[in-house]
Amino acid sequence: MRVAAIDCGTNSIRLLIADARTDESGRTVLRDVVREMRIVRLGQGVDATGWLAEAALKRTFAAADEYAALIEHHGADRVRFVATSATRDAGNRDVFVAGIRSRLGVEPEVVSGDEEAALSFRGALNAAAELDPADRVLVVDLGGGSTECVLGTPREVIAARSVDVGCVRMTERHLGSNPPTEEQQARVLRDVGEAMDVVARTVPLERTTRLVGVAGTVTTVTAMALGLEHYDPERINGTVLEIPDVTRACRELTAMTREQRAALGFMHEGRVDVIGAGALVWRRVVERVARATDGRVRTVTASEHDILDGIGLSLVP
C-alpha cells in the first residue's frame, strides 16, 4: 500500500509518501518514496491575534499545491492531512480547512493535542531499534506552537499531555532582541517550567527510562552538539547524547545572534529566528526529566521519525 501523510504545524508543513509493508516480525514499516518539508510559518502571530495571517495562509497553500502535484505524480492509495497547534488556536481555521480541501481533495483534520502526541509516539517508536519491552520511553515532540510529552512502552501509551510552548510561540511571546537578553530567556524558561508542571500532573515523568526527542528543534540541537558541517539526517537519527552535551549545545545556540546561526551549515533558514527559543524549551525539558528521574536518565536520543511517520502508519489497516 502506498500512503501519503501531511503534517501541518505552526512552523512547517511536511509530506511523506511511502510504501507500507510488513517485516518478518509482523511489524508495519514504511519505505520512503518522497519526504519533503517547507517552512511556511502558518502560526505567524496566532499567539497574539488568534487568527491565521493572510500571508501565512498564502505560503501554506502554495506548499499544499506542490504536495498535491507530488501525490498525483507518485500516486497514493490513501491520503491523510493533519493540522496541529496553530490551526487549533485560530478563529479563522475554516478558511484554512476549505483551502486545503480544494487543493488536496481530502478533509484536513485539526487534531487535539492528545491525538498529536499519540501519533508522534507511534512514529518515533516504530522506527526505534533495540527497545526493551520493559522500557518506559518518554517521547517529546517539540513543535512551533506546542510540545507533546508521551510516556509509554513499545506496546502502549501510558500517559500523554500537550502544552502550548513551542519555538515560534515562545519567540513571538518573549524574545525581542538579537541575541535574547538574560531576562527574555528567563521568561521562556519560566513558561516552560510551568508547562512541565502541567505535564507532570498527567505524565509520571519519574517512571521514564529513556528520553527520545523529535522534530526540527531537537534535530538541529543534535546537529550542533555533533558539530556537523551540514544537516545529515542519517547521522542525526538515533544519535544518543549525554545530557550535559545537549544542554551545552542549547546554551550555545541561544547565545548566538541570528547572523551567527544563519552561518551554521546545518541550519535551515526557516529556523534561524526561532531556534534560540526552541533550544531554551528543549534545555528546560531535558533538565526537568533528569531531575524527575533523580539522574537515572542520563542521555537523550534524537529521532528523525515523528508524527509524520505516525500519520503514515495510521493509514495502514
Side-chain angles (χ1 to χ4, degrees):
M1 173 179 287
R2 178 162 288 184
V3 298
I6 301 172
D7 163 42
C8 186
T10 299
N11 199 40
S12 66
I13 181 170
R14 299 179 300 151
L15 168 69
L16 172 64
I17 301 174
D19 290 329
R21 63 178 179 84
T22 304
D23 66 11
E24 58 276 3
S25 67
R27 185 184 63 161
T28 301
V29 295
L30 300 176
R31 183 181 65 81
D32 289 12
V33 176
V34 171
R35 192 179 284 262
E36 296 282 339
M37 179 187 73
R38 304 284 184 273
I39 300 287
V40 295
R41 197 65 58 83
L42 177 62
Q44 177 184 353
V46 168
D47 187 59
T49 69
W51 291 80
L52 297 169
E54 184 176 347
L57 286 166
K58 185 176 180 179
R59 292 191 297 268
T60 305
F61 290 156
D65 286 335
E66 291 183 56
Y67 290 174
L70 285 168
I71 293 169
E72 182 177 4
H73 176 73
H74 291 281
D77 299 297
R78 294 185 177 185
V79 179
R80 186 179 184 190
F81 187 110
V82 167
T84 54
S85 178
T87 318
R88 281 198 298 269
D89 297 343
N92 60 337
R93 69 182 188 180
D94 56 324
V95 176
F96 168 80
V97 168
I100 293 301
R101 187 193 301 121
S102 68
R103 286 164 170 83
L104 288 159
V106 296
E107 191 73 14
E109 301 174 49
V110 183
V111 298
S112 68
D114 287 346
E115 173 69 4
E116 182 178 357
L119 289 168
S120 296
F121 187 80
R122 184 177 183 186
L125 257 65
N126 191 71
E130 299 178 2
L131 280 176
D132 188 292
D135 273 332
R136 299 294 184 268
V137 185
L138 181 69
V139 173
V140 179
D141 184 347
L142 200 171
S146 65
T147 294
E148 284 66 50
C149 297
V150 195
L151 182 71
T153 71
R155 295 191 182 92
E156 63 177 350
V157 170
I158 296 170
R161 187 62 191 256
S162 176
V163 286
D164 285 339
V165 289
C167 60
V168 174
R169 194 185 296 270
M170 292 296 97
T171 298
E172 292 184 349
R173 187 178 292 179
H174 295 305
L175 303 190
S177 63
N178 178 29
T181 66
E182 290 293 329
E183 183 180 352
Q184 290 169 356
Q185 293 181 47
R187 289 201 293 266
V188 174
L189 293 171
R190 181 199 63 217
D191 279 8
V192 181
E194 291 174 354
M196 290 305 293
D197 289 342
V198 173
V199 169
R201 290 199 285 269
T202 302
V203 181
L205 300 176
E206 69 280 0
R207 294 177 61 186
T208 304
T209 61
R210 291 184 62 175
L211 175 59
V212 176
V214 304
T217 289
V218 172
T219 57
T220 301
V221 169
T222 303
M224 181 74 178
L226 292 173
L228 299 185
E229 294 185 1
H230 64 276
Y231 193 88
D232 185 346
E234 292 187 3
R235 283 283 307 279
I236 293 167
N237 187 49
T239 289
V240 179
L241 294 171
E242 298 287 330
I243 284 179
D245 294 329
V246 174
T247 58
R248 186 180 307 112
C250 287
R251 290 177 186 275
E252 290 172 354
L253 281 167
T254 303
M256 287 180 171
T257 65
R258 292 187 183 92
E259 294 75 21
Q260 289 171 326
R261 295 176 199 147
L264 296 170
F266 58 78
M267 183 69 64
H268 191 289
E269 63 180 2
R271 299 199 189 282
V272 170
D273 61 330
V274 297
I275 190 61
L280 285 166
V281 176
W282 187 221
R283 175 184 134 203
R284 179 59 84 229
V285 169
V286 168
E287 291 171 342
R288 179 62 175 267
V289 174
R291 187 167 72 250
T293 60
D294 293 326
R296 292 188 302 276
V297 173
R298 297 187 175 91
T299 62
V300 180
T301 302
S303 175
E304 287 279 344
H305 300 279
D306 52 24
I307 185 174
L308 189 61
D309 302 78
I311 296 167
L313 290 165
S314 74
L315 292 167
V316 182

